[in-house]
Amino acid sequence: MLGAPGAGKGTQADIIAAKYEIPHISTGDIFRANLKEGTELGKKAQVYMDRGDLVPDELTVEMLLDRVAKDDCKKGYVLDGFPRNIPQAEVLDKELSAHHDAVDYCINVDVPDENIVTRMSGRRSCPKCGAIYHIVHIKPDKEGICDKCGTALTQREDDREETVRKRLAVYHEQTAPLIDYYEKKGLLRTVDGTRDMKKVTEQIFSILKD
Ligand code: AP5
Ligand code: MG
Protein backbone atom coordinates (compact mmCIF):
# COMPACT_ATOMS: atom_id res chain seq x y z
CA MET A 1 0.00 0.00 0.00
CA LEU A 2 1.47 3.27 -1.10
CA GLY A 3 0.12 6.70 -0.24
CA ALA A 4 0.58 9.88 1.76
CA PRO A 5 0.25 9.87 5.55
CA GLY A 6 -3.45 9.54 6.33
CA ALA A 7 -4.41 8.41 2.82
CA GLY A 8 -6.11 5.33 4.27
CA LYS A 9 -3.41 2.69 3.73
CA GLY A 10 -3.91 1.12 7.17
CA THR A 11 -7.72 1.18 6.90
CA GLN A 12 -7.70 -0.61 3.54
CA ALA A 13 -4.79 -2.94 4.37
CA ASP A 14 -6.78 -4.26 7.35
CA ILE A 15 -9.76 -5.05 5.11
CA ILE A 16 -7.65 -6.75 2.41
CA ALA A 17 -5.77 -8.79 5.02
CA ALA A 18 -9.04 -9.96 6.61
CA LYS A 19 -10.54 -10.94 3.24
CA TYR A 20 -7.53 -12.92 2.02
CA GLU A 21 -6.63 -14.17 5.52
CA ILE A 22 -3.07 -12.94 5.25
CA PRO A 23 -1.05 -10.72 7.62
CA HIS A 24 -1.24 -6.92 7.48
CA ILE A 25 2.31 -5.73 8.02
CA SER A 26 2.69 -2.06 8.88
CA THR A 27 6.20 -0.86 9.72
CA GLY A 28 4.62 2.10 11.56
CA ASP A 29 2.58 -0.31 13.72
CA ILE A 30 5.67 -2.41 14.45
CA PHE A 31 7.58 0.70 15.56
CA ARG A 32 4.64 1.85 17.73
CA ALA A 33 4.40 -1.61 19.35
CA ASN A 34 8.11 -1.45 20.14
CA LEU A 35 7.71 2.03 21.56
CA LYS A 36 4.92 0.86 23.84
CA GLU A 37 7.01 -2.06 25.05
CA GLY A 38 9.97 0.26 25.65
CA THR A 39 12.42 -1.76 23.48
CA GLU A 40 15.72 -0.30 22.25
CA LEU A 41 14.34 -0.26 18.69
CA GLY A 42 11.25 1.61 19.90
CA LYS A 43 13.36 4.22 21.69
CA LYS A 44 15.54 4.77 18.65
CA ALA A 45 12.58 4.97 16.24
CA GLN A 46 10.62 7.40 18.43
CA VAL A 47 13.12 10.21 17.87
CA TYR A 48 12.47 10.11 14.11
CA MET A 49 8.74 9.43 14.30
CA ASP A 50 8.12 12.37 16.64
CA ARG A 51 9.85 14.65 14.15
CA GLY A 52 7.92 13.23 11.20
CA ASP A 53 11.10 11.89 9.62
CA LEU A 54 11.67 8.41 8.25
CA VAL A 55 13.35 5.97 10.62
CA PRO A 56 16.77 5.12 9.09
CA ASP A 57 16.89 2.15 6.73
CA GLU A 58 19.39 0.35 9.04
CA LEU A 59 16.64 0.04 11.64
CA THR A 60 13.77 -0.60 9.25
CA VAL A 61 14.83 -2.94 6.45
CA GLU A 62 16.10 -5.91 8.44
CA MET A 63 13.13 -5.71 10.79
CA LEU A 64 10.75 -5.90 7.81
CA LEU A 65 12.64 -8.69 6.03
CA ASP A 66 12.61 -10.76 9.24
CA ARG A 67 8.88 -10.25 9.51
CA VAL A 68 8.03 -11.33 5.96
CA ALA A 69 10.22 -14.42 6.33
CA LYS A 70 7.89 -15.77 9.02
CA ASP A 71 5.65 -18.78 8.32
CA ASP A 72 2.38 -16.83 8.35
CA CYS A 73 3.58 -14.90 5.26
CA LYS A 74 3.88 -17.94 3.02
CA LYS A 75 0.43 -17.33 1.46
CA GLY A 76 1.15 -13.64 0.93
CA TYR A 77 0.84 -10.45 2.96
CA VAL A 78 -0.14 -6.80 2.70
CA LEU A 79 2.70 -4.34 3.19
CA ASP A 80 1.62 -0.96 4.55
CA GLY A 81 4.15 1.85 4.85
CA PHE A 82 7.01 -0.18 3.39
CA PRO A 83 8.87 0.42 1.11
CA ARG A 84 9.00 4.12 1.75
CA ASN A 85 11.93 5.18 -0.38
CA ILE A 86 13.74 3.84 -3.45
CA PRO A 87 16.54 2.06 -1.53
CA GLN A 88 13.95 0.15 0.56
CA ALA A 89 12.10 -0.87 -2.63
CA GLU A 90 15.32 -2.09 -4.22
CA VAL A 91 16.29 -4.18 -1.19
CA LEU A 92 12.80 -5.66 -1.05
CA ASP A 93 12.89 -6.62 -4.75
CA LYS A 94 16.32 -8.15 -4.39
CA GLU A 95 15.41 -10.14 -1.31
CA LEU A 96 12.11 -11.37 -2.76
CA SER A 97 13.64 -12.42 -6.08
CA ALA A 98 16.31 -14.38 -4.18
CA HIS A 99 13.38 -16.42 -2.87
CA HIS A 100 11.67 -16.63 -6.30
CA ASP A 101 9.04 -14.22 -5.10
CA ALA A 102 7.95 -10.69 -6.12
CA VAL A 103 5.60 -7.82 -5.36
CA ASP A 104 2.27 -8.51 -7.13
CA TYR A 105 0.64 -5.06 -6.93
CA CYS A 106 1.41 -1.62 -5.68
CA ILE A 107 -1.90 -0.04 -4.64
CA ASN A 108 -1.46 3.71 -4.56
CA VAL A 109 -4.14 5.39 -2.43
CA ASP A 110 -4.31 8.88 -3.87
CA VAL A 111 -5.44 11.73 -1.59
CA PRO A 112 -4.43 15.37 -2.16
CA ASP A 113 -2.51 17.20 0.57
CA GLU A 114 -5.37 19.58 1.35
CA ASN A 115 -7.56 16.67 2.54
CA ILE A 116 -4.86 15.14 4.70
CA VAL A 117 -4.44 17.58 7.58
CA THR A 118 -8.15 17.67 8.49
CA ARG A 119 -8.40 13.93 8.12
CA MET A 120 -5.53 13.32 10.51
CA SER A 121 -6.84 15.61 13.22
CA GLY A 122 -9.97 13.41 13.35
CA ARG A 123 -8.19 10.06 13.44
CA ARG A 124 -8.56 7.93 16.56
CA SER A 125 -7.05 4.49 16.92
CA CYS A 126 -7.15 1.61 19.31
CA PRO A 127 -3.90 1.29 21.32
CA LYS A 128 -4.68 -2.39 21.92
CA CYS A 129 -5.80 -3.91 18.58
CA GLY A 130 -4.81 -1.13 16.17
CA ALA A 131 -8.31 -0.57 14.69
CA ILE A 132 -8.61 2.84 12.99
CA TYR A 133 -11.55 5.28 13.22
CA HIS A 134 -12.39 8.85 12.33
CA ILE A 135 -14.53 11.14 14.51
CA VAL A 136 -16.64 12.20 11.50
CA HIS A 137 -16.17 9.68 8.66
CA ILE A 138 -15.69 6.30 10.35
CA LYS A 139 -17.21 6.43 13.81
CA PRO A 140 -17.13 3.60 16.35
CA ASP A 141 -20.55 2.43 17.61
CA LYS A 142 -19.85 3.95 21.02
CA GLU A 143 -17.97 7.25 21.00
CA GLY A 144 -14.32 6.91 22.00
CA ILE A 145 -14.49 3.11 22.40
CA CYS A 146 -13.10 0.45 20.03
CA ASP A 147 -15.84 -1.69 18.42
CA LYS A 148 -13.54 -4.67 18.20
CA CYS A 149 -12.08 -4.88 21.71
CA GLY A 150 -13.75 -2.24 23.92
CA THR A 151 -10.54 -0.28 24.62
CA ALA A 152 -10.58 3.54 24.92
CA LEU A 153 -9.41 5.09 21.64
CA THR A 154 -6.39 7.41 21.54
CA GLN A 155 -4.83 9.97 19.20
CA ARG A 156 -1.45 9.30 17.66
CA GLU A 157 1.47 11.44 18.89
CA ASP A 158 2.54 12.26 15.34
CA ASP A 159 -0.90 13.53 14.28
CA ARG A 160 -0.27 17.09 15.47
CA GLU A 161 -0.69 19.49 12.55
CA GLU A 162 2.96 20.55 12.48
CA THR A 163 4.19 16.96 12.40
CA VAL A 164 1.63 15.99 9.75
CA ARG A 165 2.94 18.78 7.49
CA LYS A 166 6.48 17.51 7.98
CA ARG A 167 5.40 13.93 7.21
CA LEU A 168 3.74 15.18 4.02
CA ALA A 169 6.93 16.94 2.94
CA VAL A 170 8.94 13.79 3.61
CA TYR A 171 6.37 11.77 1.65
CA HIS A 172 6.71 14.01 -1.43
CA GLU A 173 10.47 14.03 -1.29
CA GLN A 174 11.26 10.38 -0.47
CA THR A 175 8.17 8.20 -0.95
CA ALA A 176 6.33 9.66 -3.96
CA PRO A 177 9.19 8.66 -6.33
CA LEU A 178 7.99 5.07 -5.73
CA ILE A 179 4.93 5.86 -7.86
CA ASP A 180 7.18 6.10 -10.87
CA TYR A 181 9.27 3.12 -9.72
CA TYR A 182 6.24 0.79 -9.62
CA GLU A 183 4.64 2.36 -12.71
CA LYS A 184 7.74 1.40 -14.70
CA LYS A 185 7.44 -2.16 -13.44
CA GLY A 186 3.79 -2.26 -14.54
CA LEU A 187 2.62 -2.93 -10.97
CA LEU A 188 1.07 0.42 -10.06
CA ARG A 189 -2.71 0.63 -9.54
CA THR A 190 -3.99 3.99 -8.34
CA VAL A 191 -7.27 4.31 -6.43
CA ASP A 192 -9.12 7.50 -5.49
CA GLY A 193 -8.68 7.67 -1.71
CA THR A 194 -10.98 10.69 -1.33
CA ARG A 195 -14.04 8.54 -1.93
CA ASP A 196 -16.07 6.85 0.76
CA MET A 197 -14.11 4.10 2.53
CA LYS A 198 -16.34 1.33 1.11
CA LYS A 199 -15.94 2.64 -2.44
CA VAL A 200 -12.18 2.63 -2.06
CA THR A 201 -12.36 -0.98 -0.86
CA GLU A 202 -14.53 -1.95 -3.86
CA GLN A 203 -12.03 -0.40 -6.25
CA ILE A 204 -9.15 -2.25 -4.60
CA PHE A 205 -10.97 -5.60 -4.66
CA SER A 206 -11.76 -5.16 -8.35
CA ILE A 207 -8.04 -4.66 -9.00
CA LEU A 208 -6.97 -7.67 -6.93
CA LYS A 209 -9.32 -9.91 -8.89
CA ASP A 210 -7.46 -9.51 -12.17
P1 AP5 B 1 2.94 5.05 9.45
O1 AP5 B 1 2.31 4.52 10.65
O2 AP5 B 1 3.11 4.18 8.27
O3 AP5 B 1 2.21 6.41 9.04
P2 AP5 B 1 1.89 7.09 7.62
O4 AP5 B 1 2.44 6.50 6.41
O5 AP5 B 1 2.24 8.48 7.84
O6 AP5 B 1 0.42 6.79 7.42
P3 AP5 B 1 -0.70 6.81 8.47
O7 AP5 B 1 -0.68 5.53 9.26
O8 AP5 B 1 -0.67 8.08 9.23
O9 AP5 B 1 -1.98 6.86 7.52
P4 AP5 B 1 -2.72 5.72 6.71
O10 AP5 B 1 -2.48 5.92 5.26
O11 AP5 B 1 -2.46 4.37 7.29
O12 AP5 B 1 -4.22 6.16 6.99
P5 AP5 B 1 -5.35 5.54 7.95
O13 AP5 B 1 -5.90 4.30 7.36
O14 AP5 B 1 -4.90 5.51 9.36
O15 AP5 B 1 4.38 5.61 9.83
C1 AP5 B 1 4.58 6.42 10.96
C2 AP5 B 1 6.05 6.76 11.09
O16 AP5 B 1 6.82 5.57 11.25
C3 AP5 B 1 6.68 7.47 9.88
O17 AP5 B 1 6.48 8.86 9.92
C4 AP5 B 1 8.15 7.07 10.04
O18 AP5 B 1 8.78 7.84 11.03
C5 AP5 B 1 8.06 5.64 10.56
N1 AP5 B 1 8.07 4.63 9.47
C6 AP5 B 1 7.07 3.76 9.15
N2 AP5 B 1 7.42 2.99 8.12
C7 AP5 B 1 8.67 3.37 7.76
C8 AP5 B 1 9.57 2.95 6.75
N3 AP5 B 1 9.27 1.98 5.87
N4 AP5 B 1 10.78 3.57 6.67
C9 AP5 B 1 11.12 4.54 7.53
N5 AP5 B 1 10.31 4.99 8.51
C10 AP5 B 1 9.10 4.41 8.62
O19 AP5 B 1 -6.47 6.68 7.77
C11 AP5 B 1 -6.27 8.00 8.25
C12 AP5 B 1 -7.59 8.59 8.78
O20 AP5 B 1 -8.51 8.74 7.70
C13 AP5 B 1 -8.30 7.68 9.82
O21 AP5 B 1 -8.94 8.49 10.76
C14 AP5 B 1 -9.32 6.92 8.96
O22 AP5 B 1 -10.43 6.51 9.74
C15 AP5 B 1 -9.71 7.96 7.91
N6 AP5 B 1 -10.06 7.40 6.62
C16 AP5 B 1 -9.55 6.31 5.97
N7 AP5 B 1 -10.12 6.13 4.76
C17 AP5 B 1 -11.00 7.16 4.63
C18 AP5 B 1 -11.90 7.53 3.56
N8 AP5 B 1 -11.97 6.85 2.41
N9 AP5 B 1 -12.64 8.66 3.76
C19 AP5 B 1 -12.56 9.38 4.91
N10 AP5 B 1 -11.74 9.06 5.95
C20 AP5 B 1 -10.97 7.97 5.79
MG1 MG C 1 -1.26 3.66 8.85
Side-chain angles (χ1 to χ4, degrees), residues 6 9-11 27 32 53 81 84 88 123 133 167 195:
K9 303 182 295 294
T11 301
T27 36
R32 280 185 289 277
D53 276 324
R84 221 170 177 113
Q88 289 184 6
R123 170 164 56 189
Y133 302 90
R167 285 160 62 199
R195 298 174 75 197

Side-chain angles (χ1 to χ4, degrees), residues 44-159:
K44 284 183 189 160
Q46 183 173 24
V47 180
Y48 300 93
M49 293 170 83
D50 283 351
R51 292 203 299 249
D53 276 324
L54 294 188
V55 177
D57 290 351
E58 304 86 82
L59 298 177
T60 308
V61 173
E62 209 178 291
M63 171 186 91
L64 185 277
L65 295 179
D66 283 349
R67 177 65 190 89
V68 301
K70 291 206 167 28
D71 274 354
D72 63 342
C73 289
K74 290 214 160 73
K75 260 179 34 176
Y77 45 89
V78 189
L79 284 181
D80 158 17
F82 187 97
R84 221 170 177 113
N85 57 27
I86 301 276
Q88 289 184 6
E90 288 173 346
V91 176
L92 179 67
D93 279 345
K94 204 170 141 207
E95 187 68 19
L96 290 180
S97 69
H99 292 91
H100 311 287
D101 202 353
V103 171
D104 296 311
Y105 295 103
C106 171
I107 308 281
N108 176 33
V109 187
D110 186 31
V111 175
D113 286 10
E114 56 268 29
N115 299 31
I116 296 286
V117 179
T118 42
R119 213 185 243 203
M120 302 296 254
S121 61
R123 170 164 56 189
R124 299 291 181 273
S125 43
C126 176
K128 194 169 170 204
C129 77
I132 306 163
Y133 302 90
H134 190 279
I135 53 172
V136 180
H137 308 298
I138 302 158
K139 294 180 180 175
D141 293 338
K142 194 169 161 212
E143 194 182 320
I145 303 292
C146 180
D147 290 346
K148 293 183 184 157
C149 70
T151 306
L153 301 177
T154 55
Q155 229 178 331
R156 255 168 62 174
E157 280 293 326
D158 58 351
D159 277 353

